[in-house]
Amino acid sequence: MQERRRAPRLKVKLSVDLRMPGRQTARLGKTIDISSNGAYFGTEYFMGEGTRLPITIQLPADKGIPAANLHPDGIVVRCRPEQEDPEVKEYEVAVFFLNLADEEQELLAGFLERKLGKAQAR
């Protein structure tokens, strides 16, 4: 299988919230990994491919930089399993960021650079 990602992904657990269509804001849990243009996370909710959602990702304070919330709109590009199933406890969802404010893009890029730098230094 050919790699289609345009940005390196970092395995890191960040809190993720979103507002599902017709529902209140829901805490999804944690990211599995994240890049500058998308995130992969676990959730109890099935999300069909093409579903658009507002997301909140919580970046922790790091090296004197305060904690921050990112608010990208996302589109689901993959959900595993691919069908809703009442027996499934957690779905794995890949979301592509459709838009992210310039300031938030800079915060995410800085966070990823610091974390990737630490990983490479080991």
Side-chain angles (χ1 to χ4, degrees):
M1 181 192 282
Q2 181 179 357
E3 178 62 47
R4 298 182 307 181
R5 294 181 184 144
R6 289 178 260 163
R9 291 201 169 251
L10 176 67
K11 290 192 181 300
V12 62
K13 297 200 181 301
L14 302 172
S15 293
V16 179
D17 299 332
L18 70 80
R19 185 180 314 258
M20 294 289 292
R23 297 188 185 151
Q24 297 292 336
T25 298
R27 164 87 9 112
L28 290 180
K30 304 287 184 184
T31 58
I32 297 167
D33 62 36
I34 189 167
S35 75
S36 60
N37 56 16
Y40 190 50
F41 56 86
T43 178
E44 64 188 77
Y45 302 106
F46 172 79
M47 293 178 214
E49 189 174 317
T51 302
R52 291 180 69 144
L53 355 128
I55 303 167
T56 300
I57 297 172
Q58 300 170 12
L59 295 180
D62 182 48
K63 292 191 176 181
I65 298 169
N69 287 334
L70 307 178
H71 303 282
D73 287 333
I75 187 164
V76 175
V77 294
R78 183 175 63 253
C79 184
R80 294 221 171 99
E82 296 175 356
Q83 301 291 322
E84 191 165 13
D85 181 343
E87 300 295 317
V88 172
K89 299 265 189 262
E90 183 174 85
Y91 296 91
E92 292 183 355
V93 178
V95 173
F96 179 77
F97 299 149
L98 295 174
N99 59 25
L100 190 59
D102 290 343
E103 180 180 310
E104 291 180 336
Q105 285 178 338
E106 290 176 19
L107 287 170
L108 180 55
F111 174 80
L112 292 170
E113 287 172 14
R114 287 187 302 278
K115 294 298 182 189
L116 286 169
K118 283 183 186 177
Q120 291 172 354
R122 291 183 198 159

